[in-house]
Amino acid sequence: MSKKNRLVIRTIILVIMIAAIAYTLYANFTKDSRSKVSVGEQAPDFVLADLGDEQHKLSDYRGKGVFLNFWGTWCKPCEREMPFMDNQYNVYKDQGVEILAVNVGEPEFSIKRFVEKHDLSFPILKDKNQDVMKTYGVINLPATFLIDPEGNVVKVEEGELTEAKIQAMMESIKP
């Protein structure tokens, strides 16, 4: 191979590497402004299946308050808050407040085992490819979005919730 050909190949490789680095920097610096759902915005609609393969469309819950929680079975704070969520769901479900707990990309058998272990009664939705998680800009688990009866995000909370905090949150989105 001639020196000229090696120079051309090296130049092409260098250009590709510079483009990849530039794209990575751009993606990292703009990810927060790109997709994170903020308070005051309309909650992005989605359709996800539950463990019985029944479809749940967020917009079908208009007129109700929605406690939208993103979680994983491996997440200890998620596990600690689930029984509190279930207690409050049983209090508020007849008052127009719904919990939609979105599992982020885990196998169905793991989710089912977790739900059975904790005897959860609210809908557990499967976000197999983490598309909804990405749309909402969720990075850390657990993450909770409170959505009012008009479909607007009124609060975003990252981290573990106490039962008292969950109760106050449910009360705040009650129609």
Side-chain angles (χ1 to χ4, degrees):
M1 187 184 293
S2 72
K3 284 186 172 186
K4 186 176 180 181
N5 285 346
R6 282 196 305 258
L7 180 63
V8 168
I9 290 172
R10 287 179 182 160
T11 304
I12 290 171
I13 291 171
L14 183 61
V15 167
I16 291 171
M17 288 175 59
I18 290 171
I21 291 169
Y23 174 77
T24 302
L25 290 172
Y26 169 78
N28 281 327
F29 286 121
T30 62
K31 71 181 176 197
D32 289 337
S33 61
R34 231 177 334 139
S35 61
K36 188 149 176 111
V37 174
S38 301
V39 171
E41 291 181 20
Q42 189 74 26
D45 204 8
F46 60 82
V47 178
L48 290 174
D50 63 20
L51 294 173
D53 286 325
E54 182 182 330
Q55 300 292 308
H56 293 260
K57 185 174 182 182
L58 180 62
S59 57
D60 289 345
Y61 291 93
R62 278 282 161 81
K64 291 185 171 191
V66 177
F67 184 99
L68 179 63
N69 180 265
F70 292 87
W71 68 283
T73 61
W74 49 266
C75 165
K76 290 301 176 190
C78 302
E79 185 171 10
R80 288 190 295 267
E81 72 183 12
M82 285 287 176
F84 302 146
M85 288 168 50
D86 199 59
N87 292 343
Q88 295 308 311
Y89 174 70
N90 289 316
V91 170
Y92 285 94
K93 67 182 177 185
D94 296 328
Q95 298 179 45
V97 179
E98 189 66 54
I99 288 181
L100 298 177
V102 178
N103 178 274
V104 293
E106 293 185 274
E108 191 165 326
F109 71 89
S110 298
I111 303 168
K112 283 183 176 177
R113 192 170 54 217
F114 182 94
V115 169
E116 289 167 6
K117 176 182 175 184
H118 296 286
D119 195 27
L120 302 176
S121 56
F122 49 80
I124 304 291
L125 309 183
K126 303 173 290 185
D127 188 11
K128 291 179 185 174
N129 299 320
Q130 301 180 345
D131 294 332
V132 177
M133 178 182 154
K134 290 172 191 162
T135 298
Y136 276 77
V138 173
I139 297 169
N140 300 314
L141 296 180
T144 303
F145 293 77
L146 294 185
I147 302 168
D148 69 14
E150 290 76 44
N152 299 308
V153 176
V154 295
K155 186 170 182 68
V156 178
E157 188 81 32
E158 282 189 356
E160 184 176 350
L161 301 171
T162 63
E163 187 155 10
K165 181 132 188 176
I166 293 169
Q167 180 182 12
M169 293 167 85
M170 304 277 271
E171 192 66 37
S172 75
I173 54 173
K174 193 167 74 170

